[in-house]
Every structure is written in C-alpha cells, then in structure tokens.
Amino acid sequence: MNTAQPIKPIRKAVFPVAGLGTRFLPATKAIPKEMLPIVDRPLIQYAVDEAREAGIEQLIFVTGRGKTAIVEHFDTAFELEATMEGRGKSLDVLEPTRIKPGNLVTVRQQVPMGLGHAIWCARAVIGNEPFAIFLPDELMIGKKGCMKQMVDAYNQVGGNLISVLEVPREDVSSYGVIAPGNKPEGFNEALTEVKGLVEKPKVEDAPSNLIVSGRYILQPEVIDILSTQEKGAGGEIQLTDAMAKLIGSQAFHAVTFEGNRYDCGSKTGFVEATLALALERPDMADEVRAMAERLLGSSGHKSA
Ligand code: G1P
C-alpha cells in the first residue's frame, strides 16, 4: 500500500468537457453544455471554483470541436474589461474567471470513446503525479466544497479517493457503483474503504447503492491501465474499470460528500439546481421564493 509513501499534493485537475450535450439540444447546438448558466455562472465555473478552493492550480480541459467558449470564458477579455473600466464598473465579477498564465491547458479528445479515454488523452499534462478529476455535470454544493473535503481526507490516507453518495437502488444502473469495505479506524468519519467498483451494473448485480459521484483523486498509475484501451460498459473505455484494477495494490477510499448534489446532466436536475441556488442567494432569495410559491399555488391551472 502506498500510504507509507509521502503524500504528494494535488496540483492538477482534469475536466472532461468534450461531450456533445445532446440531451440539452437545441440549447447546446452552438454553445457547450458546460456554458449553460445556473443563475449567473456557467456550470463549468462551479467546478473550477471547487477546484481552486481545494488548492488546485492547474486546470486541464479535455475538449472537442465546438467547445472553444469554455476556454474563452477563462481568458482575459480585453475589450470587455477596458469598456467596463471606462464606464467606472467594478471588474470583481470577473474574478472567478481569472486563471494564472500557464495554468489552463487544453487537450482534445478527437473521438468520443468514453470517460477513461478522455482522461487518457490528458496523460502528457498529468505526468507522474496524483491528480483530480471533476465531472462538471455533477454540481456539488457544500459548506466546504466536495474536492476540499476529499483533499482533507487524502492528506490523511493518500492513495486514491472517489466521492460517493447514496441513490435509490433502482437508479444504480446509470452510474459507477462501489463495493464498500470497512471504515478505517482513527480517520475521517466520511471515509470508507473501496473493495470493488463496477460501471453501470444491473440492479440485481450492484454491490451497493453507493454511486461514484463525479469527483476523483487518482494516482498516475491509472493512466498505465487506461493505456491498454480495454472497452467496458456501453463499448466505451471506462475509468471505473481502470480504477477497479488499482484496488489491492494501492489504497482506495470513498468519501461520502457532506452537502447537496445536483445532477445537471438531466433537465430536471438542472432546473432543481437553478432553483436551489437562487433560493440561497441573498440578492434574490426572497423574490424567487415568492415567485415559486405563486407558481406552485397556481399549479392546478394549465397554461393556454
Ligand atoms: C460517469 C461515470 C460513472 C459515474 C457518473 C457520475 O458516467 O462513468 O461511474 O457514476 O459519471 O455522473 P456517465 O454519466 O458519463 O455515463
């Protein structure tokens, strides 16, 4: 087990954002799904904020055709800033989009061959150090961000970590599912040992109802396993299968996230996230609450 080795800090994060976003068409015909806003921030911004809160410096976007807007979002917008300054407007609102020069790297995934393949496409930038992965569709909102919670746990146990959460048993087939082991004694309460991992199992074959929820801290050896390019569920190169092969040779734990998760890969999840986050915003909560109550009060009326 590599827990005896010094624990290397997590400095890099990979964001697989090459997907076509077909579930949100026609909205995503000309703009990336990750740029759809939840209140006034694009979805990708929440994941990047979470990474920075966790102390991660370098952002690696695995992009594809038509995804340039994501990179533009994190670039300096000279004309916009000069115009705003000329009008005496504060630029503070753009602060979250500022990335230190050299800390944003993009690589392309030319063909959609699965999440494992997307991560493998970033191998040259990841190099030989542990790294984080964020699936931006999974919006994780907590007092302390999900990745920060994971990094805190990682600093105790090292190795590999994934965030998990419980879903109704009938939903497990849409996800990676873990076979949970013991809770390691004397460590963070949220930690559970991972004894097995399976991608999109049949309900009857699922080892639990604890699903992999889109945040990972992995050791670089996973890249060697991905290099074999073996296909799994859905004929895709699955990250879950590669991670499963690390179990036994490296420490592998799950962190139960303390906070709320919104599945922004689905339209209803997106609406839920929008409403929930608007209700938490001091500048609009009262108005949105009144609006929601009015709409719900009249839910018996069908619109014309
Ligand atoms: C991916 C992962 C899966 C994980 C899920 C979380 O699946 O392969 O293990 O549980 O994200 O959203 P996808 O949603 O890409 O099918």
Side-chain angles (χ1 to χ4, degrees):
M1 294 271 164
N2 67 351
T3 41
Q5 291 168 12
I7 295 173
K8 286 192 192 166
I10 307 299
R11 302 183 309 131
K12 301 180 179 183
V14 183
F15 300 78
V17 290
L20 293 174
T22 48
R23 272 198 254 175
F24 283 83
L25 282 170
T28 49
K29 187 179 170 198
I31 58 163
K33 177 180 66 176
E34 296 79 8
M35 290 305 292
L36 298 179
I38 305 273
V39 188
D40 50 11
R41 282 170 184 239
L43 191 51
I44 186 72
Q45 183 76 63
Y46 292 91
V48 166
D49 290 349
E50 191 188 318
R52 295 170 97 187
E53 181 206 1
I56 290 166
E57 295 156 16
Q58 192 174 67
L59 314 178
I60 307 165
F61 290 150
V62 182
T63 68
R65 284 162 61 80
K67 293 289 187 141
T68 326
I70 301 176
V71 182
E72 297 270 333
H73 178 75
F74 293 101
D75 198 0
T76 307
F78 177 77
E79 298 88 339
L80 174 68
E81 296 186 17
T83 310
M84 284 172 74
E85 268 181 331
R87 292 181 185 163
K89 291 202 164 147
S90 164
L91 296 181
D92 291 356
V93 74
L94 294 174
E95 187 49 36
T97 68
R98 296 193 197 287
I99 309 295
K100 272 202 202 134
N103 275 349
L104 191 158
V105 181
T106 65
V107 297
R108 303 274 276 206
Q109 184 187 23
Q110 286 110 332
V111 278
M113 288 171 65
L115 177 59
H117 178 255
I119 303 306
W120 177 79
C121 287
R123 66 197 177 283
V125 194
I126 294 168
N128 190 27
E129 59 178 289
F131 62 101
I133 303 172
F134 290 75
L135 307 189
D137 269 1
E138 298 283 353
L139 178 54
M140 312 289 261
I141 304 290
K143 253 197 205 134
K144 202 197 259 182
C146 182
M147 187 53 71
K148 175 81 177 112
Q149 293 179 24
M150 291 173 71
V151 166
D152 288 350
Y154 170 80
N155 288 336
Q156 294 186 338
V157 290
N160 303 275
L161 285 114
I162 47 179
S163 66
V164 294
L165 50 87
E166 273 186 63
V167 298
R169 188 123 194 140
E170 61 269 25
D171 293 346
V172 290
S173 307
S174 305
Y175 301 100
V177 180
I178 73 161
N182 298 327
K183 287 190 165 293
E185 265 177 48
F187 286 110
N188 195 316
E189 265 294 285
L191 280 171
T192 309
E193 206 186 325
V194 177
K195 296 183 85 174
L197 276 160
V198 41
E199 182 68 14
K200 302 194 172 71
K202 288 189 190 151
V203 173
E204 59 272 26
D205 298 338
S208 75
N209 66 338
L210 283 171
I211 62 139
V212 181
S213 69
R215 300 292 184 273
Y216 311 74
I217 290 177
L218 298 176
Q219 297 299 315
E221 286 75 18
V222 75
I223 302 287
D224 301 333
I225 301 173
L226 286 170
S227 299
T228 62
Q229 311 258 319
E230 264 174 51
K231 291 188 179 144
E236 297 190 329
I237 300 170
Q238 296 291 354
L239 179 62
T240 304
D241 297 345
M243 293 191 305
K245 293 196 176 134
L246 289 176
I247 298 171
S249 63
Q250 294 190 348
F252 214 122
H253 292 95
V255 177
T256 305
F257 170 56
E258 207 185 313
N260 295 318
R261 168 253 186 176
Y262 304 98
D263 173 14
C264 291
S266 87
K267 289 181 227 186
T268 47
F270 207 93
V271 173
E272 182 191 12
T274 304
L275 189 55
L277 268 60
L279 286 170
E280 280 175 17
R281 285 270 298 250
D283 59 334
M284 62 177 75
D286 291 349
E287 214 177 317
V288 173
R289 182 173 303 281
M291 225 180 260
E293 279 168 2
R294 180 163 46 77
L295 289 169
L296 290 172
S298 61
S299 61
H301 299 282
K302 294 258 185 307
S303 57

